[in-house]
Amino acid sequence: MTAKQRLIGDMPKIGIRPTIDGRRKGVRESLEEKTMNMAKSVATFLSEQLHYNNGAPVETVIADTCIGGVAEAAQTKAKFDKENVGVTITVTPCWCYGSETMDMDPNRPNAIWGFNGTGRPGAVYLAAVLAAHNQKGIPAFGIYGRDVQDIDDHSIPDDVQEKILRFAKSGLAVAMLKDKSYLSIGSVSMGIAGSMVDEDFFQDYLGMRNEYVDMTELTRRINEEIYDKEEFEQAYAWVKENCAMGSDTNAQDNQRTDEQKEEDLKMNIKMTMITRDLMEGNPKLKELGYEEEAMGHNAIASGFQGQRQWTDHLPNGDFMEAILNSSFDWNGIRTPYMVATENDTLNAATMLFGHLLTNTAQVFADVRTYWSPSAVKRVTDHQLEGKASNGIIHLLNSGSAALDGTGEQEKDGKPAMKPFWEISEQEADKCLQATKWRPANTEYFRGGGFSSNFKSKGDMPVTIARVNLIKGLGPVLQIAEGYTVELPENVHEILNNRTDPTWPTTWFVPNLTGKGAFRDVYSVMNNWGANHCSMSYGHIGADLITLASMLRIPINMHNVEDEKIFRPSAWNMFGTTDPEGADYRACQIYGALYK
């Protein structure tokens, strides 16, 4: 199952650069077959292992010839530029001329796999060319297998595979961000700093542009019927059949009438369609005579201000955000959109990181409350056990979380969140059945609307993350790998009712290291840098660290094992005993990727 191409431009490809000893009359000729076979094996491996977020296999491009000097390096660059190559991997089994064969593009991530052999060791070239990269200020990733291989061994060792995949996923994420847009619908929500668009961050670090529309654009398109009315009827019928409405917790005097709720629902559906159209365009609008509106904003992510100027008067955006962020709607199972609640641009960027690395939906959440074991015992008379025994963090937001976060999808018989092409119709239906659409709390949302109410299943490996901007420093990324946990229903109800029982809940526990910000669960909460996070399925902290190093964003807290950290070779030159400090120094020296 492959989704349509949403945004303008082809998907970026991975370029494979086989470099070789340029000496003719015996040396080069003896290495041609081995070198090109290395390139072909890496290309095949990547095409079999990786997919774009639209479900299509990742495409690779191999240089026309082995690269023995600057002329062939230039020919390869010209080919890669034409083929929309966004990330390159250089491979070699032998010595080559470093500065003559290296990839000199400073904005295109590059890794070098130097074959660990003894006859004509590629590892010698690897060391030499990495030194050239570091001396010239063009960071590159070095891939060196732990065990010596025989020259006729054409396999890719497991440790090399792991680094190639980590590099390739991160490099493709960098390439897919470039030249796309972030669309702000509205402005700053309730003084939340993440809603304040920092164009320098998007332009210099991500290579993106910023687009803006006022929230009144939604009311204009609703009032003037600038949407596909046939699709609306289809969507309305689908919602009535598949979306279960939950009970209204508002006091009688604050409840909206059944007629108002029905109109709220219709407006929420139209808001969903219009936000999607604003992001990616819709050719149906051209047929209606709205050519400008049909174009969209080429937005890979967006955010909706909502509170309070919209929600004091009109239905909230929870339904719209939850449906778009999910991997399915009335048009079937499809790639999730990235839509940030309260126009939190920095959480949107974090959602993009997680999505492009995993191809899965991302759960937008407040990092709401740390519950210590003693506090839970005092309030519920329940003793936390198992993974929850050290305390829990309540991830909760006003109903905008992707429905994939229910955990009703399965992988190896366990709760999961999967790429859309792996999700069955039955799993999508289970996610819908596990969600109740509760009338919005009208003390918060005077204009009504609906919140998606669910409880995540336990034992899902997940990673929460967040980009924060620090004046004088720039962006930093924080990461916490951990698990979802389930509480007894009565305990969940007591704790959940202390906030807002109409919102979706995930009970999260981080993996603890016993030191620093991961000394205990309280320290993770206490060191979190903002009120929001993005939650991604899987332990993807190592991938996030690699991606951040490509973008020159330092990591201010993480609980990833040291042996999994993979950064450019140059980072080691900034110190090897204090990786966190070296990361900060390297990012400061190199600066934003596109500045």
Side-chain angles (χ1 to χ4, degrees):
M1 185 192 300
T2 302
K4 67 175 183 176
Q5 180 78 17
R6 285 181 179 170
L7 303 175
I8 297 166
D10 295 330
M11 289 293 192
K13 300 173 185 175
I14 301 175
I16 314 295
R17 307 175 70 256
T19 57
I20 199 167
D21 191 324
R23 288 172 283 200
R24 299 282 185 174
K25 298 185 178 180
V27 175
R28 175 166 178 160
E29 289 82 355
S30 70
L31 295 162
E32 288 275 6
E33 183 178 3
K34 171 65 179 180
T35 305
M36 189 56 76
N37 281 339
M38 280 185 71
K40 291 177 180 177
S41 66
V42 169
T44 300
F45 171 69
L46 290 171
S47 296
E48 290 175 347
Q49 293 293 319
L50 296 181
H51 292 78
Y52 297 113
N53 67 338
N54 68 355
V58 162
E59 294 186 53
T60 60
V61 180
I62 301 176
D64 291 333
T65 67
C66 291
I67 302 167
V70 69
E72 288 163 320
Q75 290 168 354
T76 300
K77 182 181 185 305
K79 177 179 183 177
F80 285 1
D81 289 346
K82 289 179 182 177
E83 292 277 357
N84 193 38
V85 166
V87 54
T88 62
I89 299 176
T90 300
V91 300
T92 189
C94 60
W95 167 254
C96 318
Y97 302 159
S99 63
E100 295 181 23
T101 60
M102 64 189 285
D103 186 341
M104 292 283 288
D105 191 327
N107 295 333
R108 190 157 58 191
N110 176 237
I112 302 108
W113 174 27
F115 185 80
N116 186 1
T118 54
R120 300 179 188 272
V124 177
Y125 167 71
L126 174 62
V129 77
L130 288 174
H133 274 278
N134 296 344
Q135 188 168 326
K136 291 175 179 291
I138 308 172
F141 291 76
I143 301 174
Y144 178 50
R146 180 173 291 274
D147 297 319
V148 172
Q149 290 181 262
D150 298 329
I151 194 67
D152 58 355
D153 181 356
H154 302 303
S155 66
I156 305 175
D158 290 346
D159 60 331
V160 173
Q161 288 185 22
E162 182 179 354
K163 288 184 176 179
I164 287 175
L165 284 176
R166 182 154 293 141
F167 169 80
K169 285 190 289 186
S170 300
L172 284 172
V174 170
M176 291 180 73
L177 289 168
K178 193 172 188 307
D179 297 325
K180 305 303 190 300
S181 303
Y182 176 81
L183 174 64
S184 293
I185 303 174
S187 183
V188 179
S189 174
M190 302 185 297
I192 294 172
S195 303
M196 302 172 186
V197 178
D198 189 304
E199 291 214 355
D200 289 343
F201 166 67
F202 280 94
Q203 179 177 319
D204 295 347
Y205 285 88
L206 308 184
M208 293 173 61
R209 67 194 300 159
N210 294 91
E211 291 283 288
Y212 306 86
V213 297
D214 192 85
M215 289 183 291
T216 54
E217 177 64 5
L218 271 68
T219 56
R220 181 182 80 89
R221 293 195 185 198
I222 290 171
N223 293 340
E224 297 183 21
E225 297 187 326
I226 308 174
Y227 57 87
D228 184 343
K229 288 183 278 296
E230 289 184 7
E231 183 186 359
F232 169 75
E233 294 301 331
Q234 172 196 347
Y236 180 66
W238 180 88
V239 169
K240 296 296 284 185
E241 181 178 350
N242 294 281
C243 295
M245 296 296 143
S247 59
D248 193 333
T249 60
N250 292 291
Q252 193 66 40
D253 291 346
N254 290 335
Q255 290 186 12
R256 294 170 68 77
T257 65
D258 291 343
E259 292 76 13
Q260 287 175 316
K261 290 175 183 176
E262 198 64 22
E263 290 305 310
D264 291 348
L265 181 60
K266 291 178 181 178
M267 189 167 188
N268 280 161
I269 295 169
K270 293 172 186 177
M271 289 166 63
T272 306
M273 294 168 52
I274 290 167
T275 297
R276 179 205 61 200
D277 293 350
L278 284 166
M279 291 177 69
E280 67 179 20
N282 187 344
K284 289 282 188 179
L285 303 184
K286 183 177 179 180
E287 297 174 12
L288 297 173
Y290 297 99
E291 284 195 62
E292 181 181 0
E293 290 84 349
M295 296 295 291
H297 291 266
N298 200 39
I300 195 171
S302 69
F304 179 66
Q305 174 193 334
Q307 299 188 74
R308 283 183 49 207
Q309 286 79 0
W310 179 274
T311 56
D312 277 6
H313 179 60
L314 296 165
N316 65 19
D318 288 359
F319 178 91
M320 172 262 289
E321 293 158 2
I323 289 293
L324 289 176
N325 283 328
S326 300
S327 299
F328 44 84
D329 61 17
W330 43 84
N331 291 313
I333 299 171
R334 43 85 176 143
T335 309
Y337 294 83
M338 299 295 114
V339 184
T341 301
E342 295 156 348
N343 195 31
D344 187 342
T345 67
L346 300 180
N347 222 50
T350 315
M351 292 169 74
L352 276 174
F353 293 171
H355 171 62
L356 294 176
L357 289 170
T358 66
N359 297 325
T360 60
Q362 304 295 293
V363 174
F364 186 110
D366 280 357
V367 185
R368 177 69 64 147
T369 309
Y370 163 67
W371 279 98
S372 67
S374 60
V376 173
K377 179 70 173 175
R378 175 178 60 83
V379 171
T380 69
D381 198 32
H382 173 74
Q383 186 65 48
L384 293 175
E385 299 173 340
K387 287 187 174 71
S389 60
N390 293 306
I392 51 179
I393 294 175
H394 197 179
L395 302 182
L396 182 77
N397 194 264
S398 59
S400 61
L403 272 58
D404 302 63
T406 58
E408 293 291 341
Q409 299 160 26
E410 284 191 2
K411 184 173 290 188
D412 300 325
K414 295 182 178 181
M417 296 168 61
K418 301 191 292 190
F420 80 89
W421 60 88
E422 295 180 8
I423 300 172
S424 68
E425 295 284 353
Q426 292 78 13
E427 288 173 321
D429 187 55
K430 285 182 178 179
C431 292
L432 286 163
Q433 291 178 15
T435 304
K436 294 289 188 292
W437 297 94
R438 307 285 291 275
N441 182 336
T442 53
E443 291 184 2
Y444 283 121
F445 305 113
R446 300 172 189 171
F450 295 89
S451 295
S452 58
N453 178 219
F454 63 76
K455 180 180 64 172
S456 298
K457 282 194 169 184
D459 207 30
M460 283 195 290
V462 294
T463 303
I464 65 170
R466 167 75 185 187
V467 172
N468 294 299
L469 286 179
I470 313 302
K471 188 172 179 64
L473 174 62
V476 297
L477 178 66
Q478 51 190 171
I479 300 164
E481 294 182 341
Y483 288 87
T484 62
V485 294
E486 286 187 62
L487 303 178
E489 188 59 33
N490 64 316
V491 176
H492 164 78
E493 290 292 335
I494 293 170
L495 301 184
N496 209 43
N497 286 338
R498 291 174 70 101
T499 305
D500 193 308
T502 69
W503 297 348
T505 279
T506 302
W507 297 108
F508 170 74
V509 294
N511 295 337
L512 301 178
T513 65
K515 58 185 178 180
F518 293 90
R519 182 173 58 256
D520 50 32
V521 179
Y522 169 80
S523 297
V524 175
M525 177 77 179
N526 197 40
N527 282 280
W528 205 252
N531 53 311
H532 292 152
C533 75
S534 174
M535 186 184 81
S536 185
Y537 178 79
H539 289 158
I540 64 166
D543 293 336
L544 286 167
I545 288 172
T546 296
L547 172 58
S549 69
M550 292 179 179
L551 300 171
R552 318 293 189 251
I553 298 173
I555 309 297
N556 74 296
M557 62 180 275
H558 73 83
N559 56 349
V560 177
E561 299 94 329
D562 288 346
E563 58 269 21
K564 290 185 177 180
I565 296 175
F566 187 37
R567 290 179 170 127
S569 165
W571 266 237
N572 295 329
M573 303 302 115
F574 289 86
T576 56
T577 59
D578 176 18
E580 182 172 282
D583 183 30
Y584 272 83
R585 290 187 290 275
C587 290
Q588 182 181 29
I589 291 296
Y590 288 113
L593 181 59
Y594 301 105
K595 193 168 184 179

